[in-house]
Amino acid sequence: MQWIKNVFQLFYPNLCYGCDAPLLKQENVLCEDCLFALNFIPKPIGNDTEMKRRFYGKLLTEYCLATFYYSENEIVQKLLHNLKYKKQKSISEFIGVLTLQSLQHHDLFNWANCIVPIPLHSSKERKRGYNQLDGFAKYLSKELNIPYYKDFLIKKKKTSTQTHKNIIDRAYKEQNFHINPKYKDINTTNILLIDDVMTTGSTLEMAGNCILKNSPHKISILTMAYTC
Ligand SMILES: [Zn+2]
């Protein structure tokens, strides 16, 4: 069945994204050594996480979880770099699979009723060709059987969160996002807000506060990686 192999290799190139070693037939995205070397965040019990505490006083959340610790020059950084800048969008779903495996049966997944991504500005998404959260979100949506509202939040203009991190005027920050009017009438729901990496948390804070201020929904946060 050579054609199956060909189709498979369209989605999964045959070099490891962590170490560039050739992948064995049964390996995807990462070789076994890199897979075992991934820096998973241990599955927390309940909702009191270090990540949640980072939002205290800034954003009201239910659960805040991430799959990996993020640091420079590690496999997770290489994975995310390939996903975001090298057009390797299959990595997104791969991280979705690892996320559900590592956080299996966490209460968050019973709590969430829908998935909402941090949006890219439309011109940035056009340039990249995809939102790096798509594969991740679609996989979670399918496995958890909850909808993925890709266009729930709209990013208004191009800004760099980092350049504005010292601006504490929350009203100003919230202006970066708005809720798509087509969702204004959905019933009160539990939104799982997702992003790739949480560093300062300011983008999530902005997006989360935009939701809480303009709707009756509750939010939790799930990111692929988290910087301590
Ligand atoms: Zn490797």
Side-chain angles (χ1 to χ4, degrees), residues 46-65 198 219-221 226:
N47 67 353
D48 183 27
T49 57
E50 183 189 307
M51 196 170 156
K52 183 179 163 85
R53 290 196 286 272
R54 292 258 291 268
F55 289 108
Y56 280 176
K58 299 176 184 168
L59 173 68
L60 191 63
T61 60
E62 300 293 319
Y63 298 93
C64 296
L65 303 178
M198 172 167 158
I219 57 167
S220 285
I221 289 171
Y226 167 72

Side-chain angles (χ1 to χ4, degrees), residues 16 18-19 31 34:
C16 171
C19 66
C31 70
C34 287

Side-chain angles (χ1 to χ4, degrees), residues 185-226:
D185 293 328
I186 63 168
N187 291 332
T188 302
T189 194
N190 293 341
I191 291 177
L192 181 57
L193 188 61
I194 59 166
D195 202 3
D196 46 22
V197 184
M198 172 167 158
T199 46
T200 65
S202 69
T203 305
L204 286 157
E205 186 190 330
M206 270 184 243
N209 278 315
C210 169
I211 294 171
L212 295 184
K213 195 176 156 192
N214 299 296
S215 70
H217 310 310
K218 290 182 175 172
I219 57 167
S220 285
I221 289 171
L222 176 64
T223 64
M224 293 172 170
Y226 167 72

Side-chain angles (χ1 to χ4, degrees), residues 99-115:
T99 297
L100 272 196
Q101 288 294 321
S102 67
L103 294 172
Q104 230 170 22
H105 308 304
H106 193 279
D107 292 343
L108 168 70
F109 299 126
N110 291 324
W111 176 92
N113 293 327
C114 66
I115 299 169

Side-chain angles (χ1 to χ4, degrees), residues 5-220:
K5 199 176 165 200
N6 292 345
V7 170
F8 191 75
Q9 290 197 339
L10 261 180
F11 293 96
Y12 298 106
N14 47 14
L15 289 183
C16 171
Y17 287 113
C19 66
D20 293 330
L23 292 176
L24 301 176
K25 209 165 57 184
Q26 70 275 19
E27 293 171 334
N28 299 323
V29 181
L30 292 177
C31 70
E32 194 173 308
D33 288 346
C34 287
L35 197 59
F36 279 97
L38 281 169
N39 206 355
F40 281 97
I41 296 176
K43 178 176 153 185
I45 296 164
N47 67 353
D48 183 27
T49 57
E50 183 189 307
M51 196 170 156
K52 183 179 163 85
R53 290 196 286 272
R54 292 258 291 268
F55 289 108
Y56 280 176
K58 299 176 184 168
L59 173 68
L60 191 63
T61 60
E62 300 293 319
Y63 298 93
C64 296
L65 303 178
T67 311
F68 308 110
Y69 289 113
Y70 182 89
S71 50
E72 299 290 328
N73 303 317
E74 285 198 355
I75 297 161
V76 172
Q77 195 240 352
K78 289 179 191 165
L79 269 182
L80 290 172
H81 180 81
N82 276 287
L83 169 61
K84 289 170 78 168
Y85 307 112
K86 303 280 181 185
K87 302 209 179 294
Q88 300 304 321
K89 62 181 179 180
S90 62
I91 291 172
S92 187
E93 180 178 347
F94 178 77
I95 295 175
V97 174
L98 295 180
T99 297
L100 272 196
Q101 288 294 321
S102 67
L103 294 172
Q104 230 170 22
H105 308 304
H106 193 279
D107 292 343
L108 168 70
F109 299 126
N110 291 324
W111 176 92
N113 293 327
C114 66
I115 299 169
V116 169
I118 295 292
L120 293 176
H121 188 270
S122 54
S123 65
K124 196 167 178 183
E125 182 161 346
R126 259 198 311 278
K127 197 172 158 209
R128 185 172 294 170
Y130 55 96
N131 181 328
Q132 67 271 17
L133 297 169
D134 261 359
F136 180 74
K138 285 177 184 166
Y139 180 78
L140 295 182
S141 165
K142 183 179 68 156
E143 294 297 315
L144 301 174
N145 199 22
I146 57 176
Y148 169 38
Y149 297 144
K150 179 175 176 172
D151 55 352
F152 186 94
L153 281 173
I154 295 170
K155 191 165 188 184
K156 282 187 189 167
K157 56 186 174 185
K158 264 187 187 167
T159 53
S160 159
T161 322
Q162 296 302 318
T163 56
H164 293 297
K165 68 182 177 186
N166 294 323
I167 299 172
I168 53 166
D169 179 2
R170 194 159 294 162
Y172 172 82
K173 283 180 167 184
E174 283 162 11
Q175 288 169 10
N176 284 313
F177 296 100
H178 65 91
I179 297 180
N180 189 331
K182 84 180 200 197
Y183 295 103
K184 76 177 177 4
D185 293 328
I186 63 168
N187 291 332
T188 302
T189 194
N190 293 341
I191 291 177
L192 181 57
L193 188 61
I194 59 166
D195 202 3
D196 46 22
V197 184
M198 172 167 158
T199 46
T200 65
S202 69
T203 305
L204 286 157
E205 186 190 330
M206 270 184 243
N209 278 315
C210 169
I211 294 171
L212 295 184
K213 195 176 156 192
N214 299 296
S215 70
H217 310 310
K218 290 182 175 172
I219 57 167
S220 285

